[in-house]
């Protein structure tokens, strides 16, 4: 990593200071320093984005596509650098970091493919005698300057899911990446600065949370796209008239039906990945596992045995599966929830110990449904096992949650598959796999406390554009 990184203001690198320390999340040592924008820089960035609305609207789709293709090329060339930076600043095991870089590139590639496809439709308006001779036409126009706020857990791909559709849709943007993991976003800013984007089209400002109010409240911004915690609802209340898109996490559940005996090893492997990859710091990480009683003991035995074998430690080592949580405070919070569940009757099948920001991969059973580790978003390496005897009651158990992002169902029964899709109160239902499955062109988002709207390039582009209607009457 470089010793210092600038922030980007109206397409230009700025290095007025090096006040933001970025730490290696495993060692705790300072890895690099980043320029920290002040209030004046934030104001200049928003003003520049507003001024860039017209130039970006006139920036043709093929030009936007060229920018996005440049990003694909340069990010591919810098993939090792991006992965190493991600490994250090987020504590993400290097294997997973490389996987996220692949997704980053995929996301920009999808946006490049869709950029020239923004179109409209012809509408037949002759639905009655009074509309005879009328025709309707629609097209999509860029919404204008948008505000993008991203979290620490996927600091490359979640940035990509906001930045790439903004460019494809023709919207200038101000981006606030997490101050815990700003380097990846700043490298993306460096790549964007190499392109022909109009002046003011982008700013990347890693401000701290107490300085972020203008990103939310400024009335000149036409949309707020926020990924993070439940504070998102408070931001929505302060956002005024702008459009708001929220992705706010969940406590994802996975049902394992009785017909999965023949592929139980596969199911367990997928559950292990979903529960513990990235130390469980995923909005769709597997938190609650409901297993049919006829195979519960068998699955529990296999699941616990494989959990105990997970390699924890330095994320820079190739064989490390479980790295640190983002901060010691985060690990301490979840460790407290585990102990609270134990005090109320939960049984620890493995794990349950903490050393600084390293928290063991932990498996619990007999967890009270009102325990925080069950009913809230754990956002860490813990999984809860629970048997069920009736499939419909298992669906009810999944739905007994304030969250609704994604759920997984392992079943071979078509009737139960359709019933799960009909009845599960989730933004997405994944059949034959874990709720953690996501590819970057699919619609993604939740209901209940999990948020509003959908990500996925096509859907984000629609959010970042407005529909214009033209009606023509025949002469």
């Amino acid at each position: 990593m470089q010793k210092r990184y600038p922030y980007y203001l109206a397409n230009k690198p700025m290095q007025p200071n090096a006040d933001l320390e970025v730490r290696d999340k495993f060692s705790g040592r300072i890895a690099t320093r980043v320029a920290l924008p002040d209030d004046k820089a934030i104001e200049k960035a928003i003003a520049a984005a507003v001024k860039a609305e017209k130039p970006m609207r006139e920036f043709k789709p093929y030009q936007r596509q060229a920018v996005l293709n440049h990003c694909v090329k340069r990010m591919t060339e810098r993939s090792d650098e991006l992965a190493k930076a991600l490994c250090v600043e987020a504590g993400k095991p290097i294997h997973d970091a490389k996987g996220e870089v692949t997704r980053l590139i995929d996301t920009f590639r999808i946006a490049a493919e869709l950029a020239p496809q923004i179109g409209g439709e012809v509408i037949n308006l002759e639905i009655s005698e009074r509309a005879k001779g009328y025709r309707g036409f629609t097209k999509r126009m860029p919404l204008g300057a948008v505000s993008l706020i991203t979290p620490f857990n996927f600091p490359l791909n979640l940035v990509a899911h906001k930045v790439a559709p903004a460019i494809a849709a023709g919207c200038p943007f101000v981006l606030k990446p997490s101050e815990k993991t700003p380097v990846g976003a700043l490298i993306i800013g460096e790549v964007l600065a190499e392109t022909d984007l109009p002046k003011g089209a982008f700013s990347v400002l890693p401000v701290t949370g107490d300085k972020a109010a203008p990103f939310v409240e400024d009335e000149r911004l036409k949309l707020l796209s926020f990924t993070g915690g439940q504070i998102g609802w408070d931001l929505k209340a302060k956002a005024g008239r702008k459009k708001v898109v929220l992705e706010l996490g969940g406590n994802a559940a996975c049902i394992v039906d009785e017909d999965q005996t023949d592929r139980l090893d596969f199911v367990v492997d997928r559950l292990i990945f979903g529960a513990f990859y990235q130390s469980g710091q995923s909005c769709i990480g597997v938190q609650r596992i409901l297993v049919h009683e006829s195979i519960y003991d068998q699955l529990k035995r296999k699941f616990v045995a494989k959990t105990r074998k997970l390699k924890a430690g330095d994320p820079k080592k190739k064989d490390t599966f479980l790295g640190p949580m983002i901060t010691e405070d985060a690990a301490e919070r979840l460790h407290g929830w585990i102990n609270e569940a134990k005090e109320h009757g939960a049984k620890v099948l493995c794990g349950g110990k903490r050393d600084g920001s390293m928290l063991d991969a932990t498996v619990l059973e007999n967890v009270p449904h009102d325990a925080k580790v069950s009913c809230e978003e754990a956002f860490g390496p813990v999984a809860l096992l629970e048997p069920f005897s009736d499939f419909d009651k298992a669906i009810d158990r999944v739905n007994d949650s304030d969250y609704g992002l994604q759920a997984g169902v392992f079943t071979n029964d078509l009737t139960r598959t359709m019933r799960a899709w009909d009845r599960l109160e989730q933004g997405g239902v994944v059949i034959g796999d874990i709720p953690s499955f996501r590819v970057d062109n699919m619609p993604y988002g939740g209901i209940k406390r999990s948020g509003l709207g959908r990500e996925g390039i096509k859907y984000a582009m629609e959010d970042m554009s407005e529909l214009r209607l033209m009606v023509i009457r025949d002469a």
Side-chain angles (χ1 to χ4, degrees):
M1 297 175 73
Q2 300 172 19
K3 292 183 179 180
R4 293 186 175 193
Y5 288 87
Y7 62 76
Y8 285 82
L9 171 58
N11 308 35
K12 301 294 185 182
M14 300 289 175
Q15 190 80 63
N17 58 62
D19 290 349
L20 180 61
E21 297 176 350
V22 180
R23 294 187 177 270
D24 181 316
K25 299 306 185 291
F26 180 71
S27 71
R29 293 190 292 267
I30 296 174
T32 187
R33 295 178 184 271
V34 167
L36 196 60
D38 60 13
D39 293 342
K40 290 181 179 179
I42 298 171
E43 167 56 30
K44 288 179 180 178
I46 294 174
V50 173
K51 190 174 181 179
E53 286 181 342
K54 184 175 184 292
M56 275 297 286
R57 188 164 57 246
E58 295 172 350
F59 200 59
K60 301 304 181 185
Y62 72 87
Q63 294 175 296
R64 303 172 200 165
Q65 184 180 54
V67 168
L68 293 161
N69 280 331
H70 174 83
C71 291
V72 170
K73 177 178 180 292
R74 294 290 287 127
M75 290 169 187
T76 301
E77 293 169 350
R78 300 180 68 173
S79 58
D80 286 344
E81 175 191 358
L82 286 160
K84 290 174 183 177
L86 179 56
C87 179
V88 171
E89 70 169 344
K92 185 170 294 196
I94 190 63
H95 175 77
D96 293 334
K98 290 179 179 179
E100 184 171 341
V101 173
T102 299
R103 291 187 61 190
L104 163 74
I105 295 167
D106 281 347
T107 302
F108 272 86
R109 181 181 293 113
I110 296 163
E113 292 170 355
L114 292 177
Q117 298 180 30
I118 299 176
E121 63 177 332
V122 178
I123 306 173
N124 184 355
L125 300 179
E126 295 180 305
I127 61 171
S128 65
E129 178 67 25
R130 75 180 187 89
K132 181 180 179 181
Y134 285 86
R135 306 167 194 239
F137 303 84
T138 65
K139 66 176 179 178
R140 288 200 165 270
M141 299 289 290
L143 193 61
V146 299
S147 174
L148 315 174
I149 302 179
T150 57
F152 69 82
N153 58 324
F154 284 88
L156 292 177
N157 199 40
L158 292 181
V159 167
H161 269 279
K162 300 185 188 301
V163 167
I167 295 170
C171 293
F173 65 87
V174 289
L175 166 68
K176 181 203 141 5
S178 170
E179 67 272 23
K180 296 183 180 71
T181 55
V183 175
L186 294 171
I187 294 174
I188 293 172
E190 184 180 345
V191 171
L192 289 174
E194 300 168 352
T195 70
D196 295 326
L197 280 170
K199 182 180 178 181
F202 77 94
S203 294
V204 183
L205 306 174
V207 301
T208 54
D210 61 326
K211 297 288 187 180
F215 289 82
V216 177
E217 299 172 12
D218 196 298
E219 294 184 358
R220 292 170 292 178
L221 298 168
K222 308 302 191 301
L223 173 142
L224 168 65
S225 180
F226 174 85
T227 299
Q230 290 299 302
I231 193 175
W233 296 113
D234 295 330
L235 303 184
K236 177 179 177 291
K238 298 175 181 178
R241 293 177 296 177
K242 66 176 62 65
K243 187 184 293 188
V244 177
V245 179
L246 303 175
E247 198 279 272
L248 306 180
N251 59 349
C254 193
I255 297 172
V256 184
D257 203 5
E258 59 189 314
D259 58 8
Q260 298 299 295
T261 305
D262 291 344
R263 62 170 189 161
L264 206 56
D265 287 338
F266 167 77
V267 172
V268 168
D269 285 344
R270 294 300 291 158
L271 291 171
I272 291 284
F273 176 80
F276 303 122
Y277 83 107
Q278 197 169 302
S279 297
Q281 297 170 118
S282 168
C283 296
I284 45 177
V286 175
Q287 185 170 333
R288 300 178 293 149
I289 304 172
L290 286 77
V291 186
H292 192 272
E293 60 185 8
S294 65
I295 59 172
Y296 179 80
D297 289 338
Q298 186 181 2
L299 183 143
K300 178 174 73 172
R301 185 171 59 253
K302 289 176 178 287
F303 187 80
V304 171
K306 290 193 174 185
T307 300
R308 286 181 172 140
K309 292 179 181 179
L310 295 177
K311 175 73 172 178
D314 188 344
K316 292 180 281 296
K317 294 183 178 179
K318 292 182 179 180
D319 60 346
T320 296
F321 184 87
L322 196 76
M325 292 185 67
I326 191 66
T327 63
E328 186 170 349
D329 287 347
E332 185 177 11
R333 183 264 309 165
L334 183 53
H335 190 229
W337 288 9
I338 292 168
N339 289 334
E340 177 189 66
K342 285 168 57 179
E343 292 170 2
H344 290 85
K347 181 179 180 181
V348 178
L349 301 178
C350 66
K353 297 179 180 179
R354 180 179 70 87
D355 181 10
S357 61
M358 293 292 298
L359 182 63
D360 288 350
T362 301
V363 183
L364 305 174
E365 68 174 353
N366 301 327
V367 178
H369 291 176
D370 61 353
K372 289 180 181 176
V373 76
S374 175
C375 64
E376 295 294 338
E377 181 179 35
F379 218 65
V382 61
L384 284 52
L385 296 179
E386 180 178 341
F388 71 87
S389 58
D390 180 270
F391 188 81
D392 286 309
K393 290 181 179 179
I395 291 176
D396 292 338
R397 175 71 189 104
V398 175
N399 288 340
D400 184 22
S401 170
D402 290 335
Y403 298 93
L405 188 48
Q406 289 196 168
V409 181
F410 286 96
T411 184
N412 298 330
D413 188 305
L414 180 59
T415 299
R416 291 182 176 181
T417 291
M418 300 307 294
R419 195 182 311 157
W421 192 24
D422 287 342
R423 290 197 52 218
L424 283 170
E425 298 166 359
Q426 305 287 323
V429 177
V430 182
I431 303 297
D433 206 350
I434 52 178
S436 320
F437 175 81
R438 181 184 180 187
V439 291
D440 298 295
N441 63 335
M442 72 188 226
Y444 173 77
I447 59 174
K448 302 181 180 178
R449 286 174 64 191
S450 290
L452 293 170
R454 292 294 180 269
E455 290 187 346
I457 302 301
K458 173 185 174 182
Y459 311 96
M461 288 173 65
E462 290 175 353
D463 281 332
M464 294 180 185
S465 61
E466 57 186 2
L467 198 65
R468 297 277 183 89
L469 169 68
M470 179 177 68
V471 176
I472 296 179
R473 180 184 180 183
D474 290 348

